[in-house]
Amino acid sequence: MEGDMDMNQEVKLAKNYDPKEFEDRLYKWWEEEGFFTPKVDKDKKPYSIMMPPPNITGQLHLGHALDNTLQDILIRTKRMQGYSTLWLPGEDHASIATEVRVEKAIIEEGLDKKEMGREAFLERVWQWTDQYRNRIRTQLKKVGVSADFTREAFTMDENLSKAVRKVFVKLYEEGLIYQGNRITNWCPNCMTAISDAEIEHEEHEGHFWHIKYPVKDSDVTLEIATTRPETLLGDTAVAVNPADERYGHLVGKTLILPLVGREIPIVADDYVDLEFGTGAVKITPAHDPNDFQVGKRHNLPEIIVMNEDGTIAEGYGRYSGMDRYEARKAMVADLEEQGLLVKVKDHSHNVGTHDRCKTVIEPMISKQWYVKMDTLAEPARKAVREKQTKFVPERFEKTYFNWMDNIQDWCISRQLWWGHRIPVWYCKDCDEIIVSMEDPTHCSKCNSENIEQDKDVLDTWFSSALWPFSTLGWPDKTEDLDYFYPTSTLVTGYDIIFFWVARMIFSGIHNMGDVPFDNVLIHGIVRASDGRKMSKSLDNGVDPLEVIEKYGADALRFSLTTGNAPGNDIRYYEERVESARNFANKIWNASRFVMMNLDKEIMNKYKDSKNYTIADKWILSRMNDVVKEVTENIEKFELGIATQKVYEFMWNEFCDWYIELVKPVFFSDDEEAKGVAYNVLYTVLTTGLKLLHPVMPYITEEIFLNLETGDKSITISSWPEFCEELKNEQVEKEMALVIEAIKSIRNVRAEMNVPNSRKAKLFILATEGAEAFEGGKIYFEKLASASEVILINAKEEAPENAVAAVTKGAEIFMPILDLVDVEKEIERLNKEKEKLAKEIERVEKKLSNERFVSKAPEAVVNEEKEKEKKYREMYASVIERIESLQ
Ligand SMILES: [Zn+2]
Ligand SMILES: [Zn+2]
């Protein structure tokens, strides 16, 4: 593009696009200038986003890069639109996930968590925290996030911990937090209770063990079937359906529990399914949630038979101390020996596993703290029903309601060390429970100093549920809180709608009296190019930092967001990053070209001239359209469409057409024409850069600074606005006709192998928009190798031997046959015909090979079919051309 023009303007912009040269430098400068640190400014409207805090367990993945790019697009746009924008970053302490990781690390060092003790272990976790927070911060900055790191928060910060404490005490005093003996999901590996949401359900190949329980003082036995025979130790009844005629006579009788010898009753309960198994069900209230309910109805004892690590508890002879599965084997063998095992049937069933460690959950009764959900859930449902918080896309409301409508009380205690310790003290002398904002020194009831704090910590989501206001200083009354709450938009993945989004909504309403955000923009996950999830086990993960190293942050950001719809999963292709980099390259070169040719003196002289050419009017009108479309799409959260529109405009209309159309002006002697062209080029380029800035912040800033617009930085420059005056539909229509016509002329000339240097007359028979072709004469001359453009009124006026091109609004005749050596051309075409015939033969052979068709991936087969089709079409048009020449 460059090279053939005046090179007299000094251009500071580097010759080649090299993101490494400026990305880090610009980020550092932005931070130093404080562009991302907003002030509480009553004259401006606030716009705020709380960044979903990454867990401190590791490093950023592509999902974070996507999530943060979407947020950055919104924040950068709003900042340019004049809002006081706060994007508050931070990290999550991720209680269980971090504890598991640090524990693993110390085991590798040959140390033991228990031996180490709570304090020393927590010290290690704090070291880890510092290291990983630092790493995450650095990585986020590499992505280019325009977040305010002076307000960076951490869920274990002093103030955020104070917020946690405040909410706990408040809910306790309101009677919404209670302690209960409840059946919980217990992970014997992590040795903690976990919530329903942390369980993954998997189909397991298991068995049904049919076991006979002898009826006391008789020869009769009752046969039950179970998938977990080891829980037999804790049976406190066998239940049958009251309508079951097979067992009616046995209800009220007593059974002797095998292996244990304890006496247990036979009870009748509707819960038992007559059709399932043998119709008799062993009841183990301490180890099964349904049995727990049956036990409550029949006042059955609850006997816990396992230790926290899943081994059998004391008092069960040789089984005690055995792992639950080892005990299962031993018990089944003993039952068989005693003739009590009837049969073993294969049975695949649904098993819950802990999502972090994949260990099978053991339901177990334990003493835990709970949040009562019904009073909290209703206002949160209402707020979304009434659109105080809107989900984008709306379909994700369903996920929210599914969870909220079936919500159970929230078990918030975890048997871990890392996290917010439960602010509850127990008096050892009078059993008083003390819950208060300040750490107590003595019992509030009996004054005893013999008090002890609860050993457990809170579920990690308890603190992140408060994120939208705890980060702004709550429970203190701060200016930030007053100004920025409720926040504007939350951007997050659909996978944590119930873990996190729902809990933030009810926490916000309950503690702040208002929803935490107006909108929730949901995005999908980033998958590998074959559609599979990226995971460690598949080793198909992509490190965003490596991509940035190779292509630059702008290319990564652009490729992750452009063309994607909210809520949909996206696939990662390196090729897409590569084309994004090519786009950046194109913008870079076009900008250099503009800078090289722009004479600022002449430009300023004709600043106010409106002597526009049709091309000027066209590009200004199109630019104006794009400003409107991009702004509207960002407003609707269609960020993928918005960036796609800027891309198309900049690449096609600006670089490929306008710059080409305007080139002839640079050679003219008409100073005003030059001045006007310079002004238009400059306006369109700066506007395009501004529209592109939210998704590609670095390259746009680097070019913008070199354009010397008078603005200090593009980040704080003003967002382009739609201007009615620039809109010109007539010109857009006319220019579209000219561009289409030029394209078809170029196609025909290329097909006929006519070099650009060989000019020919053009005869245009316009069926519509004759003025467009008349006004566009100069463009045909420069861009379609026309020596002269003649508008005609009838076909007959065109020379006889002309080649015709049909385009929208016109038929165009070109006497170019004498520009080609017909003999040579036929010769060339014959060669091409042979080549194509060979290609067709090759593809046909491949496609008739059954092995290939059945074994190769569908996409590859389709690709071959496409090739065949294309070659056949080319073959046909070559034959046609040969015939026309003969
Ligand atoms: Zn676990
Ligand atoms: Zn006391």
Side-chain angles (χ1 to χ4, degrees):
M1 189 180 291
E2 64 254 49
D4 55 341
M5 292 292 143
D6 290 343
M7 296 281 287
N8 50 5
Q9 305 303 323
E10 192 201 336
V11 177
K12 288 189 210 107
L13 195 65
K15 189 157 190 329
N16 296 313
Y17 169 61
D18 176 13
K20 269 200 217 132
E21 196 281 310
F22 55 85
E23 289 192 348
D24 290 348
R25 161 167 57 80
L26 287 177
Y27 196 92
K28 204 167 154 257
W29 177 67
W30 287 333
E31 271 209 305
E32 281 164 7
E33 292 291 336
F35 294 145
F36 307 153
T37 302
K39 288 196 179 64
V40 170
D41 181 348
K42 302 281 180 205
D43 295 331
K44 284 182 170 183
K45 273 200 249 168
Y47 186 90
S48 52
I49 296 180
M50 301 294 148
M51 181 187 291
N55 287 348
I56 50 157
T57 41
Q59 51 185 343
L60 294 196
H61 51 70
L62 277 182
H64 292 115
L66 167 68
D67 190 60
N68 283 294
T69 301
L70 295 173
Q71 294 173 70
D72 205 23
I73 292 175
L74 293 172
I75 280 287
R76 285 183 185 270
T77 306
K78 293 291 171 181
R79 187 180 295 120
M80 291 169 78
Q81 287 174 342
Y83 290 79
S84 183
T85 48
L86 170 63
W87 185 14
L88 197 147
E91 300 82 24
D92 194 312
H93 70 287
S95 174
I96 189 166
T98 306
E99 184 151 335
V100 167
R101 291 285 297 273
V102 177
E103 203 180 341
K104 221 172 123 192
I106 62 166
I107 287 170
E108 274 165 23
E109 289 169 29
L111 295 168
D112 180 86
K113 182 174 133 185
K114 289 221 171 70
E115 276 170 28
M116 228 175 159
R118 188 167 190 142
E119 223 163 287
F121 179 76
L122 288 179
E123 213 165 285
R124 277 296 296 264
V125 189
W126 276 109
Q127 279 170 21
W128 166 287
T129 302
D130 287 343
Q131 186 189 339
Y132 278 84
R133 282 188 73 192
N134 213 354
R135 181 159 151 184
I136 288 166
R137 195 178 300 130
T138 312
Q139 292 177 332
L140 281 170
K141 291 181 180 182
K142 274 267 177 200
V143 176
V145 303
S146 67
D148 179 11
F149 281 92
T150 67
R151 284 176 168 92
E152 184 185 350
F154 180 52
T155 47
M156 294 279 283
D157 277 348
E158 205 185 316
N159 189 71
L160 278 82
S161 299
K162 190 168 135 194
V164 165
R165 179 96 169 234
K166 173 89 186 171
V167 170
F168 189 98
V169 173
K170 183 169 180 254
L171 290 173
Y172 182 79
E173 284 169 357
E174 290 167 338
L176 295 178
I177 279 186
Y178 64 92
Q179 200 174 25
N181 262 327
R182 294 280 290 266
I183 194 123
T184 49
N185 308 301
W186 187 266
C187 175
N189 178 49
C190 303
M191 292 207 270
T192 177
I194 59 170
S195 72
D196 292 342
E198 288 166 305
I199 293 183
E200 278 172 3
H201 292 276
E202 291 171 5
E203 276 297 302
H204 273 211
E205 295 303 322
H207 303 283
F208 250 137
W209 282 271
H210 288 247
I211 303 164
K212 286 193 290 196
Y213 285 24
V215 178
K216 190 185 173 189
D217 300 332
S218 83
D219 302 332
V220 183
T221 57
L222 184 55
E223 185 180 324
I224 59 96
T226 177
T227 57
R228 292 153 69 216
E230 66 281 8
T231 61
L232 169 158
L233 301 173
D235 286 1
T236 52
V238 167
V240 296
N241 191 292
D244 195 333
E245 287 172 4
R246 290 173 293 180
Y247 302 125
H249 64 290
L250 288 175
V251 173
K253 292 224 156 62
T254 302
L255 294 167
I256 305 295
L257 185 59
L259 305 177
V260 182
R262 190 157 28 82
E263 295 186 2
I264 58 171
I266 300 173
V267 298
D269 197 287
D270 284 331
Y271 150 73
V272 181
D273 182 355
L274 279 119
E275 309 288 323
F276 193 73
T278 62
V281 178
K282 67 196 254 337
I283 301 297
T284 325
H287 289 280
D288 182 280
N290 292 315
D291 294 5
F292 181 78
Q293 301 298 338
V294 177
K296 285 272 178 253
R297 284 198 286 275
H298 298 272
N299 262 323
L300 298 173
E302 293 155 357
I303 303 175
I304 300 171
V305 300
M306 274 181 224
N307 299 314
E308 293 184 346
D309 61 358
T311 57
I312 303 298
E314 282 299 305
Y316 296 96
R318 73 178 188 103
Y319 310 128
S320 293
M322 281 184 184
D323 171 75
R324 52 185 167 158
Y325 298 117
E326 195 187 341
R328 175 184 291 181
K329 265 191 214 148
M331 288 167 63
V332 168
D334 290 350
L335 287 167
E336 190 169 20
E337 208 183 278
Q338 294 172 24
L340 294 174
L341 184 69
V342 182
K343 60 185 171 187
V344 184
K345 273 173 70 182
D346 288 343
H347 173 69
S348 86
H349 58 136
N350 217 310
V351 169
T353 61
H354 184 198
D355 61 359
R356 299 234 171 256
C357 70
K358 311 296 170 200
T359 304
V360 174
I361 293 307
E362 189 64 43
M364 241 199 275
I365 282 188
S366 56
K367 208 171 205 185
Q368 302 289 346
W369 287 98
Y370 289 86
V371 173
K372 224 169 148 217
M373 280 314 305
D374 45 6
T375 25
L376 294 173
E378 188 36 39
R381 280 193 288 260
K382 189 165 165 253
V384 173
R385 243 186 343 253
E386 292 174 356
K387 310 279 180 199
Q388 289 167 45
T389 292
K390 288 191 271 307
F391 278 83
V392 181
E394 209 180 344
R395 66 175 189 270
F396 287 101
E397 266 186 10
K398 236 180 158 179
T399 313
Y400 174 80
F401 285 123
N402 271 343
W403 164 261
M404 290 300 274
D405 290 345
N406 299 299
I407 199 157
Q408 307 278 319
D409 284 355
W410 178 15
C411 175
I412 50 169
S413 43
R414 294 290 185 275
Q415 290 62 53
L416 299 165
W417 288 349
W418 175 239
H420 301 95
R421 192 150 170 192
I422 292 178
V424 172
W425 280 257
Y426 305 97
C427 174
K428 290 193 160 172
D429 292 335
C430 76
D431 287 343
E432 176 72 355
I433 289 178
I434 309 140
V435 177
S436 74
M437 275 309 283
E438 303 303 325
D439 288 7
T441 52
H442 58 270
C443 171
S444 47
K445 194 171 165 193
C446 76
N447 248 340
S448 160
E449 286 177 11
N450 195 9
I451 57 172
E452 196 177 54
Q453 187 174 5
D454 196 299
K455 287 192 169 53
D456 295 348
V457 299
L458 290 166
D459 178 15
T460 199
W461 299 100
F462 194 90
S463 53
S464 43
L466 317 179
W467 188 248
F469 49 95
S470 63
T471 49
L472 292 171
W474 189 89
D476 296 336
K477 284 193 168 65
T478 63
E479 260 196 315
D480 269 6
L481 189 66
D482 185 45
Y483 187 67
F484 290 114
Y485 191 93
T487 66
S488 312
T489 305
L490 173 79
V491 181
T492 191
Y494 57 66
D495 48 340
I496 52 174
I497 289 177
F498 43 79
F499 271 125
W500 191 42
V501 181
R503 284 172 182 157
M504 279 193 284
I505 294 178
F506 68 67
S507 300
I509 294 173
H510 192 71
N511 297 295
M512 292 292 298
D514 204 346
V515 292
F517 23 72
D518 303 334
N519 295 292
V520 184
L521 172 59
I522 300 286
H523 60 75
I525 58 173
V526 184
R527 295 176 178 277
S529 56
D530 58 6
R532 289 200 288 184
K533 259 192 165 178
M534 289 188 177
S535 74
K536 274 213 182 87
S537 53
L538 290 171
D539 195 27
N540 61 350
V542 174
D543 178 359
L545 292 202
E546 276 173 28
V547 183
I548 291 172
E549 178 68 20
K550 198 165 164 194
Y551 298 101
D554 285 336
L556 174 64
R557 293 166 59 112
F558 185 87
S559 69
L560 284 176
T561 48
T562 303
N564 297 320
N568 289 0
D569 286 352
I570 62 167
R571 293 187 182 192
Y572 174 82
Y573 297 96
E574 187 165 348
E575 296 87 330
R576 286 188 63 188
V577 191
E578 218 177 308
S579 7
R581 200 257 327 267
N582 294 345
F583 173 53
N585 220 3
K586 181 134 182 155
I587 297 294
W588 187 271
N589 292 338
S591 304
R592 279 199 96 239
F593 172 80
V594 171
M595 289 173 193
M596 266 188 297
N597 289 287
L598 209 85
D599 186 323
K600 279 219 166 167
E601 218 169 285
I602 299 179
M603 182 172 109
N604 289 333
K605 192 168 162 191
Y606 296 98
K607 219 174 181 48
D608 301 318
S609 169
K610 295 272 180 318
N611 242 333
Y612 295 134
T613 63
I614 170 175
D616 296 337
K617 286 184 199 158
W618 165 72
I619 198 73
L620 288 171
S621 181
R622 282 295 303 135
M623 173 192 89
N624 202 40
D625 291 340
V626 175
V627 166
K628 188 166 182 229
E629 287 164 2
V630 170
T631 309
E632 283 173 358
N633 276 298
I634 292 178
E635 206 57 47
K636 288 189 292 190
F637 298 106
E638 290 286 358
L639 308 184
I641 297 179
T643 52
Q644 181 76 27
K645 298 248 178 211
V646 194
Y647 165 82
E648 282 165 7
F649 174 73
M650 289 301 279
W651 184 297
N652 301 328
E653 288 164 301
F654 183 63
C655 295
D656 280 356
W657 285 100
Y658 183 70
I659 289 183
E660 294 303 315
L661 294 169
V662 87
K663 267 181 187 173
V665 181
F666 295 158
F667 295 112
S668 82
D669 300 326
D670 184 342
E671 197 191 62
E672 181 170 7
K674 280 189 190 176
V676 172
Y678 294 158
N679 277 299
V680 175
L681 268 176
Y682 193 80
T683 304
V684 179
L685 178 57
T686 40
T687 303
L689 290 174
K690 284 180 177 189
L691 295 177
L692 193 57
H693 176 71
V695 66
M696 292 187 138
Y698 290 115
I699 183 177
T700 49
E701 177 76 300
E702 182 69 1
I703 297 170
F704 190 84
L705 293 176
N706 280 284
L707 278 171
E708 295 165 355
T709 59
D711 280 321
K712 188 166 188 186
S713 159
I714 195 168
T715 59
I716 50 165
S717 68
S718 60
W719 186 253
E721 275 179 45
F722 177 78
C723 165
E724 194 62 54
E725 208 184 311
L726 291 177
K727 179 81 191 142
N728 194 330
E729 251 169 274
Q730 181 61 25
V731 162
E732 279 190 32
K733 250 189 237 160
E734 289 178 6
M735 212 47 213
L737 292 178
V738 171
I739 286 174
E740 277 312 303
I742 291 175
K743 277 190 200 163
S744 54
I745 296 165
R746 283 175 172 177
N747 277 345
V748 171
R749 290 181 63 105
E751 273 172 28
M752 306 286 292
N753 224 10
V754 184
N756 284 343
S757 55
R758 309 213 58 179
K759 305 211 180 273
K761 282 186 183 170
L762 278 187
F763 296 85
I764 300 179
L765 174 61
T767 49
E768 62 171 285
E771 3 18 280
F773 295 106
E774 181 68 46
K777 271 183 178 174
I778 176 173
Y779 306 123
F780 288 103
E781 283 162 16
K782 296 295 172 190
L783 301 178
S785 305
S787 56
E788 192 184 342
V789 181
I790 302 144
L791 271 85
I792 54 175
N793 297 314
K795 240 181 206 168
E796 292 68 35
E797 292 173 41
E800 253 180 42
N801 65 341
V803 175
V806 182
T807 171
K808 192 167 184 288
E811 239 179 294
I812 300 165
F813 302 92
M814 292 163 272
I816 50 176
L817 279 181
D818 42 326
L819 296 184
V820 283
D821 183 328
V822 176
E823 286 305 312
K824 260 193 176 168
E825 178 66 1
I826 292 177
E827 198 184 311
R828 189 187 68 83
L829 287 170
N830 273 321
K831 272 191 200 148
E832 209 180 315
K833 189 180 109 184
E834 275 167 41
K835 216 170 82 190
L836 284 167
K838 270 190 200 146
E839 286 296 333
I840 292 168
E841 199 186 286
R842 190 188 60 77
V843 181
E844 269 182 341
K845 212 170 144 193
K846 209 167 182 180
L847 284 172
S848 60
N849 180 344
E850 241 173 80
R851 259 181 65 105
F852 169 75
V853 177
S854 61
K855 290 251 167 89
E858 209 185 311
V860 177
V861 176
N862 285 339
E863 206 176 294
E864 290 299 317
K865 285 184 180 160
E866 277 300 308
K867 272 189 200 162
E868 191 196 6
K869 197 175 150 228
K870 193 180 87 194
Y871 291 144
R872 283 190 186 283
E873 281 167 8
M874 287 166 73
Y875 188 81
S877 81
V878 166
I879 301 262
E880 200 180 309
R881 266 186 288 160
I882 292 172
E883 278 166 4
S884 77
L885 288 173
Q886 282 164 343

